[in-house]
Amino acid sequence: MDDLGDLRAKYLTAVNESADEASLEALRVAAVGKKGEVALKMRELGKMTPEERQVAGPALNALKDEINAALAAKKVALADAALNARLETEWLDVTLPARGRPAGTIHPISQVTEEVTAIFADMGFAVAEGPQIETDFYNFDALNIPPHHPARQEFDTFYMHRDEADERPPHVLRTHTSPVQIRAMEKTGAPIRVIAPGRVYRSDYDITHTPMFHQVEGLAIGKDISMANLKWVLEEFVRAFFEVENVELRFRASHFPFTEPSAEVDIQCSWDNGQLKVGEGDDWMEILGSGMVHPKVLEAAGVDPNEYQGFAFGVGIDRIAMLKYGIPDLRAFFDSDLRWLRHYGFSALDMPNIHGGLSK
Ligand code: PHE
């Protein structure tokens, strides 16, 4: 039975040295498969004498079992080795610090728009929207600014191109967010309480003016809404926005065709050494126009002025952003200078809300 000893040594060594499942399977077929070497030996049992068979039979079975066991053990060992190799390459140190602050930041205009929206939402104002390319009707006529009214000149309006033969009035880039008052009232009627933040355009350029800037319109119409409500809402807003108990506001009598009476509101500030500060010094910066909505405006929007009245205001978002965050030159807002954006930008994860704090 020496050849059994040879077979055993041959296969156990081969199993031990095999490097993958495919070669293990080939060994299994060659050794203990139906036509494998062990099976061939078993066939020879028939030619043996009973005595010989009594020795050779159990020996062959034992060899078969032994080779099978070696194959199974090697299979497990190969699987373990494969798993370990994978774990080595997929290794991750969970104690490493998180990645740094992402390079992108929220622009101060977006931040301030969110802050303003949060404050007015808290006072029950919904958000309304309108197009930036407006018809002359919504931008002017419906707001009680008929053609040839001098107020049209004051706005430094950008007119869209129109063929000479075309007699319709040209569209304009909206000069203020006030046309959204009309659109919102047409849509939902009165009573109504909305704000409308967005871009507006005027042909003007200096340290506090850019041809594109941002306003937020406010509109509250009801049965008994008065100028007193307007004053309260604006004072609440300014206090919440600048996160201070006391800010001096100056209500100046003014004139807008779409409000009567009208008031412009200035906020106290100082400009020492190019540093802009709110609530101190003896400079004033105009931040908004406001007033009681003119009956003709209500009428143009389909609201009965004998039944309803209310106030409207338009705040310069860029202006109040400059004041709150001490940004001296408005023009820098729109230069897209990365150094400026990194300095004045806000983390994308700090969304302003009334309870968590507006700005951190
Ligand atoms: N639309 C005015 C402006 O842009 C501001 C304003 C809005 C005034 C609403 C009164 C009422 O100057």
Side-chain angles (χ1 to χ4, degrees), residues 143 155 175-179 181 200 202 213 215-218 256 258-259 262-264 286 288-293 311-315:
L143 291 164
F155 274 119
T175 57
H176 49 180
T177 42
S178 299
Q181 287 185 36
V200 300
R202 290 181 203 173
F213 60 106
Q215 288 188 333
V216 58
E217 193 78 7
F256 299 101
F258 32 92
T259 46
S262 307
E264 276 177 306
E286 186 197 318
L288 65 93
S290 64
M292 295 299 289
V293 177
F311 63 79
F313 57 83
V315 184

Side-chain angles (χ1 to χ4, degrees), residues 94-339:
V94 293
T95 66
L96 280 174
R99 260 180 233 170
R101 178 178 147 158
T105 55
I106 301 292
H107 194 284
I109 297 296
S110 303
Q111 168 78 13
V112 165
T113 305
E114 289 295 335
E115 293 179 17
V116 171
T117 306
I119 295 168
F120 281 108
D122 198 51
M123 294 197 265
F125 286 75
V127 173
E129 284 182 315
Q132 293 176 34
I133 298 175
E134 259 303 1
T135 63
D136 153 282
F137 172 79
Y138 284 106
N139 197 77
F140 295 123
D141 301 65
L143 291 164
N144 194 30
I145 313 174
H148 310 300
H149 190 287
R152 291 211 180 194
Q153 265 70 60
E154 283 166 29
F155 274 119
D156 302 309
T157 311
F158 287 113
Y159 290 89
M160 306 297 286
H161 174 75
R162 187 79 347 142
D163 284 343
E164 259 173 45
D166 195 334
E167 306 216 313
R168 292 170 304 165
H171 280 76
V172 301
L173 289 179
R174 70 178 177 193
T175 57
H176 49 180
T177 42
S178 299
V180 187
Q181 287 185 36
I182 309 294
R183 290 182 178 275
M185 284 190 280
E186 278 181 345
K187 200 163 158 199
T188 59
I192 186 172
R193 226 187 304 176
V194 288
I195 57 164
R199 295 185 158 181
V200 300
Y201 304 83
R202 290 181 203 173
S203 177
D204 210 349
Y205 190 72
D206 63 35
I207 192 168
T208 52
H209 296 89
T210 48
M212 185 283 295
F213 60 106
H214 300 80
Q215 288 188 333
V216 58
E217 193 78 7
L219 174 72
I221 303 292
K223 297 230 157 148
D224 50 14
I225 293 180
S226 72
M227 198 82 180
N229 300 127
L230 167 68
K231 189 157 184 278
W232 182 85
V233 163
L234 291 179
E235 281 172 350
E236 276 301 295
F237 162 68
V238 167
R239 218 174 294 147
F241 179 75
F242 289 105
E243 299 171 84
V244 285
E245 271 311 308
N246 286 307
V247 210
E248 278 292 313
L249 287 188
R250 188 166 77 173
F251 283 76
R252 257 183 308 111
S254 181
H255 176 263
F256 299 101
F258 32 92
T259 46
E260 180 59 40
S262 307
E264 276 177 306
V265 177
D266 305 333
I267 189 168
Q268 182 194 14
C269 64
S270 68
W271 285 95
D272 284 344
N273 314 317
Q275 275 274 1
L276 183 54
K277 290 204 182 113
V278 168
E280 56 180 67
D282 45 18
D283 266 328
W284 295 93
M285 185 149 162
E286 186 197 318
I287 57 168
L288 65 93
S290 64
M292 295 299 289
V293 177
H294 198 290
K296 284 194 181 165
V297 173
L298 295 174
E299 225 165 77
V303 170
D304 182 359
N306 296 313
E307 210 184 333
Y308 288 103
Q309 61 179 35
F311 63 79
F313 57 83
V315 184
I317 293 184
D318 322 71
R319 294 283 181 90
I320 61 174
M322 292 170 73
L323 285 166
K324 180 165 179 178
Y325 296 111
I327 304 171
D329 191 332
L330 176 62
R331 293 169 293 197
F333 274 89
F334 311 115
D335 284 346
S336 301
D337 183 326
L338 270 181
R339 292 163 302 175

